[in-house]
Amino acid sequence: AQSVAQPEDQVNVAEGNPLTVKCTYSVSGNPYLFWYVQYPNRGLQFLLKYITGDNLVKGSYGFEAEFNKSQTSFHLKKPSALVSDSALYFCAVTAPGAGSYQLTFGKGTKLSVIP
Amino acid sequence: KAGVTQTPRYLIKTRGQQVTLSCSPISGHRSVSWYQQTPGQGLQFLFEYFSETQRNKGNFPGRFSGRQFSNSRSEMNVSTLELGDSALYLCASSLEGLAGTTKFSGANVLTFGAGSRLTVL
């Protein structure tokens, strides 16, 4: 079975400061990892993905994430937070090579950027 | 390029009724997946359709069903509604699904619609 843990329900950060949203995963086989963001009353928007290749992936709106196989982590980062980054962030994993064709999501982390 | 369109956006039903939700994927996308989002359980996978065939199914009772048409539009149906079925139902489309091998930046990416919020009274 595959699973995702987002250990923080909420992260507060001051505008202009760096932000990190944590994610660890468990999966059989090689993981495909994703970050999505959800604004109130909206669907999920894709931010970035790791499939293979460089461990550091860059995505939309200045976000990046680092795949760490030994720590089974895929933390989301941004060097300088904006108030408009305030939203609900979801980490997700799948492993098609192991026969999984569905995304398993974490519980989500609410990010609040304080002006 | 139009995004994923879900209808209706909001609906209210009573226990025992049934409901049908519709999803129109991005043009050219052949895979449609459905997810249920609730405050308690988070996002849970319901099923995936690819070229009119159900390819994957999550752990939901048989009251939850779906289908996909030849134009890739999909519907999901929930029969004998229960209070616990109140949720945001999200549809997502992609070219080939999560296992897609297409070598472009959008491969393996699900594009979600805004959702259909179902309230069961």
Side-chain angles (χ1 to χ4, degrees), chain B residues 10 15 22 24 28 33-34 57 60 68 77 80 84-85 97 104:
Chain B
Y10 303 91
R15 282 180 296 174
S22 178
S24 294
S33 301
W34 288 88
K57 190 177 189 304
F60 278 81
Q68 187 179 34
N77 184 77
T80 319
D85 297 333
F104 81 110

Side-chain angles (χ1 to χ4, degrees), chain A residues 33-91:
Chain A
L33 293 155
F34 304 82
W35 277 101
Y36 282 85
V37 61
Q38 186 176 36
Y39 297 97
N41 298 315
R42 301 283 297 276
L44 277 68
Q45 295 180 28
F46 169 74
L47 280 178
L48 50 80
K49 67 177 180 179
Y50 171 83
I51 304 297
T52 187
D54 289 341
N55 290 342
L56 183 65
V57 293
K58 295 185 183 295
S60 307
Y61 313 118
F63 284 94
E64 59 186 31
E66 185 165 12
F67 170 63
N68 187 317
K69 187 173 184 178
S70 63
Q71 297 186 4
T72 61
S73 67
F74 190 57
H75 302 328
L76 181 70
K77 299 184 179 184
K78 187 174 182 181
S80 179
L82 300 173
V83 172
S84 58
D85 293 330
S86 299
L88 189 56
Y89 290 80
F90 290 96
C91 179

Side-chain angles (χ1 to χ4, degrees), chain A residues 94-115:
Chain A
T94 189
S100 171
Y101 299 95
Q102 65 189 66
L103 278 179
T104 296
F105 286 88
K107 292 292 188 184
T109 298
K110 183 179 179 181
L111 173 67
S112 294
V113 181
I114 303 160

